[in-house]
Amino acid sequence: MKVAIAGAGAVGRSIARELLRGGHRVMLLERQLDHIDPGAIPDAVWVHADACELSLLENAELETYEVVIAATGDDKANLVHSLLAKTEFGVRRVVARVNDPRNEWLFDESWGVDVAVSTPRLLASLVEEAVSVGDLVRLMTLRQGQANLVEITLPSDTQLAGKPVRTLTMPRDTALVTILRGGRVIVPQPDDPFEGEDELLFVTSVEAEEDLRLTLATHGIRP
């Protein structure tokens, strides 16, 4: 894919390196001249441009990119860049960095954002995921807040141990997508048995999340 990243700070550069390792083509847009360092990531295209200036984005041919990542340290700039990318250039996928969790509510489809990534919230979720057994933990919001990726770690003495996946009746708009067991990633089949300490990953609509909690509670897992 062709990916444009607004912001060539530490975050933007790290994302660029990972995408380049994956074989993607990357353009870095940076407003501050002293942050431009093509030697640091020679395989990326470096452009000196304000990510909120329409004419400069036109010169950078942003419409030819399939994904835009707004990764600056300024939430206002990330919102404006996301909106321009989506409405003026028709970019199919827009991912935006949320620096201040208090601004997270703004990062939705009305601002052109397909996926909002809040580092503080993600880190907090990962901490909860690491220490919480039997609790449903929200890891990520998907599709402009229409769905969530949630995780639960089964207790070692879970009532579900040895029972097949089909035993767990999913609420509407909820899917069990992965079972993490030790070092294995298991795509669950109806006859696969659960085991204690399994990590279950679900994708669920916002409305169905509470129903999922209640379903797990009926199997002895506290919501």
Side-chain angles (χ1 to χ4, degrees), residues 132-188:
S132 302
V133 175
D135 287 328
L136 197 64
V137 177
R138 184 180 300 173
L139 297 180
M140 187 174 293
T141 298
L142 309 170
R143 298 296 299 169
Q144 304 97 36
Q146 298 174 23
N148 294 318
L149 177 67
V150 298
E151 184 269 355
I152 190 165
T153 299
L154 297 180
S156 57
D157 59 350
T158 178
Q159 295 178 15
L160 287 173
K163 295 180 179 178
V165 166
R166 64 174 179 273
T167 303
L168 194 59
T169 303
M170 293 294 104
R172 185 177 179 181
D173 299 329
T174 300
L176 173 62
V177 293
T178 304
I179 298 174
L180 303 179
R181 182 177 296 156
R184 298 176 59 200
V185 177
I186 300 169
V187 178

Side-chain angles (χ1 to χ4, degrees), residues 15-70:
I15 296 169
R17 292 188 184 98
E18 289 300 318
L19 289 170
L20 288 166
R21 288 191 193 102
H24 304 292
R25 289 175 288 172
V26 175
M27 174 176 66
L28 281 162
L29 296 162
E30 176 53 50
R31 179 175 60 87
Q32 299 184 53
L33 190 58
D34 59 350
H35 284 186
I36 294 180
D37 183 9
I41 310 177
D43 292 331
V45 175
W46 290 74
V47 176
H48 180 214
D50 187 327
C52 300
E53 287 290 338
L54 183 59
S55 61
L56 298 179
L57 298 179
E58 288 174 345
N59 292 339
E61 299 182 340
L62 197 67
E63 71 277 3
T64 66
Y65 285 78
E66 298 159 272
V67 179
V68 158
I69 302 173

